[in-house]
């Protein structure tokens, strides 16, 4: 793909080859690990998604029920009961605490609610009318709040997990499609270059060998000739014949010429 | 003087009785309720109501209508009618009409006192008060920090002052005391109203005492049921019951001892009038008790219109209107929340 044909800008040497090979091994290992992480996250993600759907359905039901129980309370206790209850409230009784959960190295925020004891002073509200409905309304809204807190927790986990999965997948893909091909290309490039160098070297060596052999042969030939000339000269001087010596010289020259031509 | 009020009633009360009977004709009927139950949206309800007496009040409401707006406007209509009658009334009818609103007045005082304890803005609180229970010095309630001050600075000038004599003993105002205070006040109010009606005599006394007794008994039953499982002691519970009514005094003693709903039921079944109400409920079910009581109340209130020359019609009219507003609220909420299957659970047909 995008990494195809690309390679690292390195000097093609054996050492670098070793380094790059080590990097490729590292990248493959990393790719495997990240792939596993991504899979684990996806499994978790699917589970959360399922739970979110369930929570949303219950939320719809419980909110519907609780708002209708508010209507019932208003019906029996009068419209102004809303304000009476509101004015009676000092601080929140249901509070939310944030925790962290760890899934495959991803920190997921988790909310859990807890009730602060000793804050429920609405016991006697609507004593003369609709007290029971108010209590029912209260409990059904508490249930709704519980579902909402759970849903909030799931939703934040969902978002964080989504982000984490995206980055992990990006890394997996980057490793698979960019880094690894690049390293492989580099390795093949270096190997190619090294082979080339080797061939060149071999050829050079062969050439030099041939040259040397010829050189040696030539030297040997020359030596032979010199030896012959020397031998001739020796015989001529031994015979003392000029003409012969001239003849010999001519022949020698012709030989030398021949040699020059050759 | 029973029987003779017919001779003189119309001198002062005739005009207003005519008016109130006219208003009675404006109450929604079963046909109206059936139409309202067919509505799909709040705008449909508005359209149906525009053909009734509520029309002018809802006319200028912009379209995204809410239940609270409907309830508010309908209450506004009741308040306007009430104010009109109050300005036209002479003694003792004017006092009688004022008595009707004292219940709301108590609620408003309690609301403001609670709000002030939690340092809310007084003007914000005033908006939440019921318009029928407003009085001039209500905004100054915020200054009071304990019961004594509350009484000395503000309440001494209001008609509620005598009712405070009973609960003046509790020094500090916390949530528990306030709720008890509300009920003690209400008890004193009912007793005072009862006495006042007795004093008026004639058909007024006869009908009103019956209605108030029912109200007192209903409160006693509700307080018993609602205080089950709370910190309220038996003696405190007993103290909150009004000292009249069908249940007084033996029924009250028994109610004060009740520990669960079925015991309350056992006590109430001894009284033939209430036996009928409780017979409608299955065992262990207290949900529909309120509606059963509302139905019984409406039946009694409607009967008040059967006689002439008495003041109970005014009381009955205001109460019926309130019930009608409750019905409308129930219908609108059911329509708004898409709970049409429950729509008939809350409607008390008035005529």
């Amino acid at each position: 793909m995008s990494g195809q044909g690309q390679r690292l800008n390195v000097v093609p040497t054996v050492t670098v080859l070793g380094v790059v090979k080590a990097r490729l091994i590292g990248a493959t290992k990393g790719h495997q690990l990240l792939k596993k992480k991504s899979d684990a996250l996806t499994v978790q993600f699917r589970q959360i998604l399922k739970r979110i759907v369930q929570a949303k359905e219950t939320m719809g039901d419980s909110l519907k029920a609780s708002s209708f129980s508010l209507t019932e309370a208003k019906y029996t206790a009068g419209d102004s009961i809303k304000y009476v209850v509101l004015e009676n409230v000092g601080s929140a009784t249901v509070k939310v605490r944030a925790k962290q959960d760890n899934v495959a190295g991803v920190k997921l925020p988790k909310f859990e609610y807890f009730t602060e004891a000793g804050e429920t002073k609405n016991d006697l509200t609507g004593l003369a009318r609709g007290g029971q409905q108010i209590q029912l309304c209260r409990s059904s809204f508490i249930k709704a709040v519980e579902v909402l807190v759970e849903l909030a927790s799931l939703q934040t986990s969902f978002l964080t997990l989504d982000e984490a999965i995206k980055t992990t997948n990006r890394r997996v893909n980057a490793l698979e499609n960019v880094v690894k091909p690049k390293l492989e290309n580099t390795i093949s490039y270096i190997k190619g270059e090294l082979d080339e160098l080797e061939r060149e070297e071999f050829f050079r060596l062969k050439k030099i060998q041939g040259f040397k052999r010829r050189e040696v042969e030539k030297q040997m030939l020359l030596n032979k000739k010199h030896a012959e000339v020397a031998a001739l000269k020796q015989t001529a001087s031994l015979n003392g014949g000029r003409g012969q010596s001239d003849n010999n010289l001519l022949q020698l020259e012709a030989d030398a010429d021949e040699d020059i031509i050759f | 003087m029973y029987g003779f009020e017919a001779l003189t009633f119309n001198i002062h009360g005739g005009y207003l009785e005519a008016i109130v009977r006219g208003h009675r004709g404006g109450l929604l009927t079963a046909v109206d309720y059936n139409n309202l139950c067919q509505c799909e949206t709040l705008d449909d309800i508005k359209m149906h109501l525009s053909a009734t007496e509520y029309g002018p009040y809802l006319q200028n409401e912009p379209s995204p209508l809410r239940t609270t707006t409907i309830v508010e406007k309908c209450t506004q209509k009741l308040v306007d009618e009430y104010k009109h009658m109050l300005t036209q009334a002479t003694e003792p009818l004017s006092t009688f009409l004022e008595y009707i609103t004292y219940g709301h007045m108590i609620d408003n005082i309690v609301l403001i006192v609670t709000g002030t304890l939690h340092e809310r803005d007084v003007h914000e609180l005033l908006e939440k008060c019921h318009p029928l229970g407003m009085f001039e010095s209500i905004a100054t309630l915020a200054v009071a920090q304990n019961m004594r001050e509350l009484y000395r600075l503000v309440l001494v000038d209001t008609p509620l002052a005598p009712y405070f004599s009973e609960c003046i003993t509790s020094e500090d105002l916390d949530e528990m005391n306030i709720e008890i205070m509300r009920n003690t006040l209400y008890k004193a109010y009912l007793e005072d109203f009862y006495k006042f009606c007795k004093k008026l005599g004639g058909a007024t006394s006869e009908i009103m005492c019956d209605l108030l007794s029912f109200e007192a008994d209903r409160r006693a039953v509700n307080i018993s049921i609602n205080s089950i499982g709370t910190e309220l002691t038996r003696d405190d519970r007993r103290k909150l019951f009004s000292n009249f009514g069908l249940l007084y005094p033996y029924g009250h003693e028994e109610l004060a001892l009740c520990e669960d709903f079925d015991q309350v039921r056992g006590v109430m079944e001894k009284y033939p009038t209430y036996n009928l109400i409780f017979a409608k409920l299955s065992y262990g079910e207290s949900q529909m008790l309120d509606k059963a009581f509302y139905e019984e109340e409406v039946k009694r209130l409607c009967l008040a219109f059967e006689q002439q020359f008495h003041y109970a019609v005014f009381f009955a009219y205001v109460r019926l209107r309130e019930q009608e507003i409750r019905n409308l609220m129930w219908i609108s909420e059911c329509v708004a929340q898409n709970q049409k299957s429950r729509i008939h659970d809350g409607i008390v047909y008035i005529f």
Side-chain angles (χ1 to χ4, degrees):
Chain A
M1 283 161 229
S2 65
Q4 215 80 45
Q6 281 191 339
R7 59 174 172 83
L8 295 173
N9 201 8
V10 288
V11 194
T13 58
V14 183
T15 344
V16 174
L17 180 68
V19 171
V20 173
K21 269 188 175 164
R23 279 182 68 184
L24 180 65
I25 291 166
T28 321
K29 194 85 193 160
H31 175 251
Q32 276 171 358
L33 285 175
L34 281 175
K35 189 98 190 158
K36 265 182 199 162
K37 178 182 172 179
S38 157
D39 286 347
L41 288 181
T42 317
V43 168
Q44 194 74 14
F45 189 69
R46 295 250 164 83
Q47 276 175 359
I48 285 183
L49 198 63
K50 205 185 268 174
R51 279 167 64 197
I52 282 182
V53 171
Q54 278 171 355
K56 281 204 170 161
E57 274 166 8
T58 22
M59 183 193 71
D61 291 344
S62 69
L63 279 184
K64 208 173 174 184
S66 43
S67 59
F68 198 71
S69 73
L70 177 64
T71 306
E72 280 177 341
K74 271 196 203 163
Y75 177 76
T76 40
D79 209 23
S80 64
I81 195 66
K82 188 166 71 186
Y83 307 120
V84 176
V85 173
L86 276 180
E87 298 310 330
N88 264 329
V89 174
S91 58
T93 36
V94 179
K95 291 183 179 174
V96 175
R97 194 188 280 139
K99 251 187 18 177
Q100 268 194 341
D101 207 5
N102 199 334
V103 174
V106 182
K107 289 198 170 68
L108 296 179
K110 222 180 169 72
F111 301 121
E112 56 179 29
Y113 69 90
F114 61 100
T115 30
E116 206 138 281
E119 287 284 343
T120 49
K121 278 290 181 69
N122 270 333
D123 269 0
L124 286 179
T125 312
L127 187 59
R129 317 189 275 176
Q132 280 184 319
Q133 268 72 15
I134 293 166
Q135 294 308 322
L136 282 178
C137 181
R138 187 184 129 83
S139 53
S140 69
F141 267 102
I142 283 177
K143 256 180 227 148
V145 165
E146 283 168 15
V147 178
L148 278 182
V149 169
E150 197 197 333
L151 189 64
S153 164
L154 287 174
Q155 288 275 31
T156 30
S157 306
F158 182 78
L159 286 180
T160 328
L161 215 53
D162 190 36
E163 195 65 26
I165 286 177
K166 266 184 195 157
T167 28
T168 319
N169 276 344
R170 207 176 297 138
R171 280 181 193 153
V172 170
N173 286 338
L175 279 177
E176 195 179 321
N177 297 319
V178 181
V179 177
K180 275 172 75 185
K182 218 174 194 178
L183 288 172
E184 275 158 6
N185 284 343
T186 314
I187 288 171
S188 58
Y189 158 72
I190 292 175
K191 274 186 179 159
E193 285 293 294
L194 284 179
D195 283 356
E196 190 75 9
L197 273 178
E198 211 167 301
R199 270 198 297 277
E200 222 168 68
E201 189 72 18
F202 185 67
F203 184 71
R204 201 162 57 90
L205 280 175
K206 262 183 136 178
K207 199 87 180 166
I208 288 171
Q209 254 178 353
F211 184 72
K212 266 188 178 167
R213 202 176 57 230
R214 267 200 316 277
E215 214 49 11
V216 169
E217 273 171 9
K218 208 156 78 182
Q219 201 67 40
M220 275 168 68
L221 209 70
L222 214 64
N223 285 348
K224 216 162 122 187
K225 264 191 187 154
H226 275 300
E228 266 173 26
V229 171
L232 270 177
K233 266 186 185 167
Q234 212 167 20
T235 45
S237 65
L238 280 174
N239 294 337
R242 180 136 180 127
Q244 206 177 356
S245 134
D246 277 349
N247 197 17
N248 269 340
L249 259 172
L250 266 172
Q251 203 178 351
L252 198 77
E253 258 174 52
D255 272 4
D257 277 351
E258 242 179 287
D259 193 65
I260 285 161
I261 289 160
F262 174 77
Chain B
M1 76 184 235
Y2 183 65
F4 292 101
E5 65 258 27
L7 289 175
T8 54
F9 185 86
N10 280 347
I11 301 173
H12 293 296
Y15 171 59
L16 283 173
E17 195 183 354
I19 284 186
V20 86
R21 282 179 191 275
H23 284 321
R24 172 200 175 281
L27 288 168
L28 300 179
T29 58
V31 181
D32 289 320
Y33 285 121
N34 282 335
N35 284 336
L36 285 170
C37 291
Q38 303 298 319
C39 290
E40 294 293 332
T41 63
L42 290 182
D43 284 314
D44 288 351
I45 289 181
K46 181 186 161 187
M47 206 183 70
H48 274 290
L49 287 179
S50 65
T52 67
E53 285 196 359
Y54 291 113
Y57 287 87
L58 286 168
Q59 207 170 34
N60 295 323
E61 284 309 307
S63 200
L65 214 56
R66 287 191 316 195
T67 324
T68 41
T69 329
I70 295 178
V71 173
E72 207 176 285
K73 291 292 158 189
C74 296
T75 317
Q76 191 54 46
K77 177 181 150 52
L78 170 63
V79 173
D80 286 351
E81 285 169 0
Y82 172 78
K83 286 207 171 129
H84 174 73
M85 291 193 288
L86 188 65
T87 43
Q88 300 288 329
T90 53
E91 281 297 334
L93 178 58
S94 55
T95 318
F96 182 87
L97 286 175
E98 275 167 7
Y99 262 107
I100 296 175
T101 63
Y102 289 173
H104 294 295
M105 222 182 262
I106 293 171
D107 283 346
N108 286 353
I109 288 176
V110 172
L111 177 65
I112 291 200
V113 169
T114 345
T116 337
L117 280 182
H118 293 93
E119 287 158 6
R120 308 283 156 100
D121 186 33
V122 185
H123 294 284
E124 221 173 275
L125 290 170
L126 284 179
E127 282 170 23
K128 297 170 183 169
C129 287
H130 196 283
L132 269 187
M134 297 299 257
F135 55 94
E136 275 171 18
S137 53
I138 196 164
T140 52
L141 279 171
V143 295
Q145 289 304 315
N146 58 40
M147 287 302 284
R148 232 169 264 281
E149 255 180 75
L150 186 72
Y151 181 74
R152 196 169 54 81
L153 295 175
V154 193
L155 295 175
V156 79
D157 295 328
T158 66
L160 299 180
Y163 308 153
F164 274 84
S165 58
E166 270 194 65
C167 56
I168 200 107
T169 45
S170 51
E171 262 304 306
D172 51 328
L173 298 166
D174 63 15
E175 284 82 358
M176 176 95 173
N177 280 339
I178 281 177
E179 202 53 45
I180 290 175
M181 179 182 97
R182 181 210 298 276
N183 287 293
T184 322
L185 286 179
Y186 210 92
K187 169 200 170 182
Y189 153 65
L190 279 181
E191 284 171 6
D192 192 39
F193 198 6
Y194 188 79
K195 254 181 260 163
F196 177 76
C197 292
K198 268 262 186 289
K199 209 174 74 195
L200 284 176
T204 309
S205 132
E206 187 194 351
I207 298 166
M208 277 310 292
C209 288
D210 183 43
L211 289 175
L212 289 173
S213 298
F214 176 73
E215 173 83 16
D217 291 344
R218 185 173 68 170
R219 282 186 78 80
V221 174
N222 273 333
I223 288 174
S224 308
I225 293 173
N226 289 331
S227 63
I228 290 167
T230 61
E231 300 159 39
L232 200 71
T233 60
R234 286 174 183 178
D235 288 338
D236 285 340
R237 194 197 288 182
R238 174 70 189 82
K239 276 185 203 151
L240 297 177
F241 299 157
S242 307
N243 290 330
F244 62 95
L246 201 62
L247 299 177
Y248 177 76
Y250 304 112
H252 285 180
E253 296 299 339
E254 283 182 87
L255 277 180
L257 298 176
C258 289
E259 292 296 335
D260 60 39
F261 179 69
D262 286 328
Q263 286 182 12
V264 175
R265 184 195 195 105
V267 174
M268 298 307 285
E269 274 171 351
K270 293 176 193 159
Y271 298 87
T273 10
Y274 300 114
N275 190 12
L276 285 173
I277 295 177
F278 277 84
K280 287 182 198 165
L281 308 171
S282 55
Y283 265 93
E285 183 193 338
S286 58
Q287 299 301 312
M288 296 312 288
L289 180 66
D290 296 286
K291 201 206 169 194
F293 269 127
Y294 278 143
E295 274 170 352
E296 179 65 20
E297 189 192 13
V298 164
K299 207 167 83 191
R300 283 159 185 257
L301 291 171
C302 286
L303 286 177
F305 282 95
E306 299 298 317
Q307 289 193 51
Q308 226 186 330
F309 310 127
H310 65 95
Y311 293 155
V313 276
F314 297 97
F315 178 80
Y317 173 67
V318 173
R319 283 299 163 93
L320 286 177
R321 265 285 185 232
E322 281 175 357
Q323 179 60 42
E324 185 174 282
I325 292 167
R326 257 198 300 276
N327 286 345
L328 283 175
M329 195 236 8
W330 181 265
I331 296 173
S332 327
E333 286 284 354
C334 285
V335 169
Q337 293 179 25
N338 227 343
Q339 294 266 16
K340 294 193 79 177
S341 52
R342 298 284 313 270
I343 208 162
H344 290 283
D345 292 355
I347 304 175
V348 178
Y349 294 102
I350 291 179
F351 285 112

